[in-house]
Amino acid sequence: MLSTPVNLSLPNEPRLVTALPGSRAQAIIERDRAVTSPSYTRDYPLVVARGEGCMVEDVDGNVFLDMTAGIAVTATGHAHPEVVKAIQAQSARLLHMSGTDFYYEPMVELAEQLAMRAPFPSSGTGFPAKVFFTNSGAESNEGAIKLARYYTKRSLIVAFLGAFHGRTYGAMSLTGSKAVQRANFGPLVPGVTHIPYGTHASLDHLEKQLFATILPPDEVAAIAVEAIQGEGGYIVPEDGFLQRIRDICDRYGILMIVDEVQAGMGRTGRLFAINHWGVMSDIITTAKGIASGLPLGAILARPELMTWPPGSHATTFGGNPVACAAGIATLRLLESGLMTNATQMGELLQANLTQLHNKFPRMSLPRGKGLMVAVDLLNEEGNLDSKLRDRIIQEAFLQGLLLLGCGKAAIRFCPPLVIDSKQIQIAVDILSQILHSSHIVSKST
Ligand code: PLP
């Protein structure tokens, strides 16, 4: 292994000390190419050595401002000291025992903490939810599909175009994002119908056309929906959209599965994105930010739904004690300031991006909630321009700013929720400089 230069603390802004990628990064990328799956999608050659807050350092000592949070995961920032402390303390006591076959307190405690915050109707005396822990977003959605089918004894599912729910067979079958994610993997799980996301017109079509013709509603187990569509482009649905799904579900005895894997755990300024609309769900799936970077996910379901018997669904690693300890620390931090910060910094980011849009209309107005924000890039005719988006992301990397795309031509901003106003300004300044560079923006697409 190459040793990495270690500084005590990372600067609060990008600092580039080599050409990119540096020589150590190049060597690791070459080794990677020889041995890892070509299905990974690396947009630029970043080889990370360590992270702190919103900053990451590569193996050559270059420091980047991270507006990706490792794909919306490191909610509390990279290596938050309180999360690290909780992980260290728990790993010195118990690394693994399997919550499927045994009991340990961190799993119970995190389940209690999540259950009491679930956006479900109060169930009187007990907790408003029961919790099944998983290792990932896909596994959470996979389990949610199984639970919905098990409980309703129905098989059909409605999902949305543009949705991303994961890569395993059930989750992939709900996904309606990019053709490459499905191509040559069929046959998928049958019984899924995709409709357009986010509009009342789409729900009219579902109820008036599909339910009346080819999709008998009393055979539909669930409607699976992202409260804000993530990989599909950070699309905020029309007001009333989620409430109408709730109403449709109630009318036909269908379960509402809300995928909060990307939008949940404080990212939008509320614990769950659905909280913005005050809509009650039946099942919530979560993962990503839940444990600040340790692999953990969860299915939350109304207690009367989670009636599957012992042995019907389980997992060896899900709810690992170290991941749960990280989850407990994460939740504490989210509620003691980080969700408020997400709201405030998200508003600042959107205000700054709006100003930038006023100068560069080829970057759209921003959209999103909290620190789940995106802009589209447009060509001169005003159409979505994915190549321009890709060039901007490349150039941002070369200037020390880490960005990710989503949707057809969007740049998403999903930084750690610890980001401060200076870092927001730096990110927008770098973007502004790039939009000023005629060699990037004016290239015909
Ligand atoms: N659901 C949503 C909304 C996601 O954004 C993702 C991942 O991007 C997933 C599910 C899948 O999560 P994982 O990659 O942890 O399986």
Side-chain angles (χ1 to χ4, degrees), residues 136-138 141 164-166 226 231 259 261-262 287-288:
S136 70
N141 287 319
F164 188 85
H165 297 288
E226 290 164 89
E231 301 299 308
D259 180 338
V261 168
Q262 184 148 182
K288 284 201 184 276

Side-chain angles (χ1 to χ4, degrees), residues 220-364:
V220 177
I223 300 180
V225 63
E226 290 164 89
I228 297 177
Q229 213 173 55
E231 301 299 308
Y234 280 20
I235 312 289
V236 181
E238 286 175 2
D239 275 339
F241 174 78
L242 294 166
Q243 182 59 51
R244 265 194 77 190
I245 295 181
R246 172 74 273 159
D247 296 343
I248 291 170
C249 286
D250 289 344
R251 228 173 350 265
Y252 301 102
I254 297 169
L255 297 181
M256 182 171 180
I257 301 175
V258 178
D259 180 338
E260 293 267 356
V261 168
Q262 184 148 182
M265 301 320 291
R267 172 145 300 283
T268 67
R270 306 290 293 269
L271 190 62
F272 298 108
I274 196 172
N275 295 142
H276 287 281
W277 291 275
V279 175
M280 296 286 150
S281 171
D282 297 307
I283 298 175
I284 292 275
T285 58
T286 181
K288 284 201 184 276
I290 191 171
S292 292
L294 288 208
L296 183 68
I299 306 167
L300 280 55
R302 291 198 286 112
E304 60 272 31
L305 306 182
M306 216 178 245
T307 54
W308 44 16
S312 57
H313 194 60
T315 159
T316 299
F317 287 121
N320 166 275
V322 183
C324 286
I328 294 163
T330 298
L331 203 49
R332 196 166 46 235
L333 288 163
L334 291 178
E335 291 189 336
S336 49
L338 291 186
M339 293 201 302
T340 309
N341 193 57
T343 303
Q344 291 167 350
M345 291 303 108
E347 280 167 10
L348 181 67
L349 176 60
Q350 291 219 35
N352 288 359
L353 289 169
T354 300
Q355 282 179 10
L356 200 52
H357 158 81
N358 293 337
K359 282 191 245 154
F360 297 98
R362 285 184 62 188
M363 189 196 85
S364 75

